[in-house]
Amino acid sequence: MAYAAMTLIAGSNFVAVRFSNQELQPFWGATLRFAVACALFFGVMQWRRAALPRGRALAGVAIYGALNFGAFYALLYWALRTVPAGLASVLVALVPLLTFFLAIVHGLERFRLRGLAGGLIAVAGIGVVFAEQLGGTTQVAALLACIAGAVCGAESAVVAKLYPRVDPAATNAVGMLTGLAILAPLSLVAGETWTLPTRADTVLAVIYLITIGSVGLFALFLYVLRRWTATATSYLLVVSPLVTVAVASLLAGEQITLQFALGGVLVGVGVYVGALSESSTNVPELRPTRA
């Protein structure tokens, strides 16, 4: 039940960000979301009497936060101005496969032919999706931003394994604070206006992203991770695009084409073969990098 709820939340987050971007400028929307969520996590820390990380552990949490809450969400919020939610979710589904390859670079994993095969299949899927979008209104730069965000999310998971473990509430609180140190100045440099949402759909989207979409998702992730393996938990990233496409079609009127469906299936198969198949053991523990 918890895993199903987590999949529904992760898949719906992409659509909620699209609604947020209709009124709030992207970097400011992300800043507002994580400023409130960060305060909530510091409150959880106080309730749990969790200590702040220090020394090498603090450095690890800061790097994790900069890559995950800073770079990943800056790229994703910016991309979701024009990229359909379903397409963004498919591109972010590359995270487990990218994690596998980055783990090899960091010496945490050994190279396997299945990983290469999965990578080639996923690249073929991305090619199919890109071919369709080249003739549309979606900017290629925005599509590349989604993939760059997936790389940042995957790298944050691998880097985090190189540093001492920290209390989950402290990891998210300090990590979000680090991300805010990137998002807020980026919003100011971009000349964005810091206003609160006034439209009902935007208000609901932002409240959802702060509560269920951030605090709820991370709490459920940790709950599932304690009971499942990290590899099994990471299936979320392959399944969630199905939720995103359904919700986006229902609430945002996004159209599903045969070519997009084919590309999405190829990406999912590639990720499964390369990073999530039964023979793929010792996959690095994934941290939540969801919209």
Side-chain angles (χ1 to χ4, degrees):
M1 182 64 70
Y3 188 81
M6 187 169 65
T7 304
L8 288 172
I9 295 170
S12 301
N13 275 2
F14 291 90
V15 183
V17 171
R18 287 276 287 175
F19 276 104
S20 172
N21 281 347
Q22 288 180 6
E23 182 178 356
L24 302 179
Q25 293 173 301
F27 302 134
W28 163 238
T31 300
L32 176 62
R33 170 185 175 180
F34 289 115
V36 180
C38 179
L40 292 174
F41 269 116
F42 271 110
V44 173
M45 276 186 64
Q46 184 69 23
W47 175 66
R48 289 166 55 92
R49 296 183 180 178
L52 286 169
R54 300 179 183 276
R56 192 165 179 270
L58 177 59
V61 171
I63 295 173
Y64 167 73
L67 287 168
N68 190 36
F69 296 111
F72 173 79
Y73 281 102
L75 289 164
L76 194 63
Y77 266 75
W78 181 81
L80 279 167
R81 296 174 308 142
T82 58
V83 176
L87 176 56
S89 184
V90 167
L91 298 178
V92 173
L94 289 168
V95 166
L97 188 60
L98 291 170
T99 302
F100 166 69
F101 286 113
L102 288 170
I104 294 174
V105 174
H106 285 276
L108 297 175
E109 283 284 327
R110 291 181 298 177
F111 175 79
R112 296 191 306 273
L113 286 177
R114 290 184 70 91
L116 177 60
L120 292 175
I121 295 171
V123 168
I126 296 299
V128 170
V129 171
F130 264 62
E132 179 186 45
Q133 296 298 321
L134 286 177
T137 58
T138 303
Q139 301 173 357
V140 174
L143 297 175
L144 294 175
C146 288
I147 296 177
V151 173
C152 291
E155 177 67 6
S156 73
V158 176
V159 169
K161 287 187 67 68
L162 302 176
Y163 291 86
R165 286 184 175 274
V166 178
D167 177 86
T171 297
N172 287 318
V174 178
M176 285 183 182
L177 188 62
T178 307
L180 286 169
I182 295 173
L183 293 169
L186 191 58
S187 176
L188 292 173
V189 170
E192 294 183 348
T193 303
W194 289 20
T195 58
L196 295 177
T198 57
R199 291 170 39 179
D201 55 354
T202 310
V203 171
L204 290 174
V206 171
I207 291 175
Y208 172 85
L209 286 168
I210 291 170
T211 55
I212 299 175
S214 293
V215 178
L217 178 61
F218 289 116
L220 280 172
F221 180 86
L222 295 173
Y223 175 83
V224 172
L225 190 59
R226 290 192 187 99
R227 290 157 177 79
W228 288 32
T229 64
T231 304
T233 305
S234 64
Y235 273 98
L236 160 74
L237 291 168
V238 181
V239 178
S240 61
L242 300 176
V243 176
T244 304
V245 168
V247 175
S249 177
L250 180 64
L251 298 181
E254 292 187 6
Q255 300 298 315
I256 306 169
T257 66
L258 180 61
Q259 187 169 344
F260 168 76
L262 174 61
V265 169
L266 285 174
V267 170
V269 170
V271 172
Y272 173 78
V273 171
L276 302 176
S277 59
E278 217 172 280
S279 62
S280 297
T281 57
N282 299 320
V283 176
E285 178 180 331
L286 295 175
R287 300 298 179 98
T289 52
R290 267 36 98 219

